[in-house]
Amino acid sequence: TKSLSILCCISSIYLIVASFLTTTTALSSSSSPASRLRNLCLTSRKTSSAIALPGVHDALSAIIFAESGANALFLSGFGVTASRLGSPDAGLLTQTEMEDATKCVVSALSLSSSSQSPPSLLMVDGDTGYGGAANIRRTIRGLACAGAAAVTIEDQTFPKRCTYAAGTGVSTVPRSESMSRINAAIAAREEAKHIDGNDILLVARTDCRLERGLEEVIERCKTYEALGADIVYAENLQSRQEYEALRSSLKGETLTMLAQLQLYPNDEDEKRRIQGAPYTIDDVGDMGYDLALFGVTGLQSAVGALQGVAREFFANKGIVSSRDDNTDIVRTMASFEEVKRVVGFSKLDEFESRYYHD
């Protein structure tokens, strides 16, 4: 009888603990970055709006876009390769380098947020997954642990190339191999959630438009949808009609993304070729897409600003004016006080004042 009572007591304790853990996991999952991003998309759908997804390349660019109102950000492989390595997006960046960049950005967004304003959500460019099935698994679970809300996995061969930079030189794997990648990513997503306790959304991407045609784009996206990808998108489609054709081929409930690049072409033939692009965020929403990605706009702006300042720096023997003498327009060079504010000196001082006193 005594043994039975002890067993009953242990069983009751186990049930209480199990119930607590289940409740805690459910609450954690409902407030996870992945769940917040999914809910953000579903909420935006009520007004047929797309979510602006500006690309960032480091913690500082992420803070600036978040401060300006971005609910979600995209950590661009092109951008991180450029800012971290000073190299082209051609398969040079490693999985550990991208994971480290993710940790820095997530940490910076968290430190710059407040209890009234949760941190911006981060989607991360996972490229091809950095190798085979085991590499994809490590990529997904590593980025989920780092705090990413979503990760993209694409169908290019290795070494991959920026789709816009490579153009017709982009090479993609056969559809069957791309399916294997997505299946491995989905399995890793489930492991991240149920083993590690880290929820993350999988974005399945195809870059095959210029190599294999629109019909293959649509078939691949439909396949990724059927396999269980959370978000589907195709890179570098050639017209609004193609984007609309893709969207109408997918289920209404499937979350989708439209990515584009502001080329700023110099010659008239190139201007005519991309007539109608880039689309505004409203245009993207009107076409039925949930996320409007502008992957390297921030990087392009940073490069342009630095080039201008560098030219003036050497032309004026180290002096960079805050205004244009001819137009009286304020330049993009920030004051030192503004830089201090952006990186959080005032918040740091306020925090330290609570615990350290002279």
Side-chain angles (χ1 to χ4, degrees), residues 1 27 31 57 72-73 107 136 148 170 185 215 227-228 245 255 303 318 328 344:
T1 305
L27 289 172
S31 60
H57 48 274
L73 302 165
S107 176
I136 293 171
V170 168
E215 184 176 341
L227 290 175
L255 297 178
V303 169
D328 201 38

Side-chain angles (χ1 to χ4, degrees), residues 13 20 41 107 115 143 284 332 340 357:
I13 293 172
F20 172 77
C41 290
S107 176
S115 57
L143 292 175
V284 174
T332 54
K340 287 169 59 182
H357 304 282

Side-chain angles (χ1 to χ4, degrees), residues 345-356:
F345 267 95
S346 59
K347 289 183 178 181
L348 178 67
D349 292 342
E350 190 275 330
F351 182 82
E352 289 191 331
S353 69
R354 282 187 266 158
Y355 305 104
Y356 290 92

Side-chain angles (χ1 to χ4, degrees), residues 28 35 48 87 177-178 246 249 262 270 290-291 320 335:
S28 176
S35 294
S48 299
S87 298
E177 187 174 338
S178 76
L246 172 61
S249 300
Q262 291 183 252
E270 186 67 1
D290 300 287
L291 294 149
V320 179
S335 68

